Amino acid sequence: MRTSSFLGKADVVLRGFSGYNTRWALRVLARAMEGAAAVGAADPVAVTVFFGANDTSLPDWKQVHQHVPLDEYQSNLRAICAYFKVLLGLMLLLYGAMALH
């Protein structure tokens, strides 16, 4: 897929939630995606998923409530991907944050 294929043809719909980790995102994913396409518009064809920055907060720092253990992070990310890929049949573009430690 080439970038020029979408030039002037794609709308970007943001569904970001500042401070969320994968655990919290799973709880709101279906509701967050309701109405992602405007009435009468085509359904989304690609989704960018970016998680990890909040999940990697160290458990002994003041953001301990955002920390997600690696095995849970992997499971959560797989569930998020399955939602988009299986239920909506969408292409996924995955981005992960660099670990702090």
Side-chain angles (χ1 to χ4, degrees), residues 12-86:
V12 176
V13 179
L14 300 176
R15 288 293 186 262
F17 292 93
S18 179
Y20 273 55
N21 58 27
T22 54
R23 182 184 300 145
W24 301 339
L26 277 174
R27 294 181 185 162
V28 300
L29 183 58
R31 271 194 326 259
M33 290 307 296
E34 287 177 3
V39 176
D43 288 336
V45 295
V47 172
T48 300
V49 176
F50 179 87
F51 280 105
N54 296 317
D55 298 77
T56 61
S57 295
L58 295 175
D60 58 344
W61 285 19
K62 60 182 173 181
Q63 263 45 12
V64 65
H65 63 283
Q66 291 181 312
H67 173 75
V68 175
L70 181 58
D71 59 334
E72 182 185 351
Y73 169 76
Q74 290 172 327
S75 176
N76 292 344
L77 201 54
R78 284 186 181 108
I80 291 168
C81 291
Y83 173 84
F84 288 115
K85 188 175 179 187
V86 175

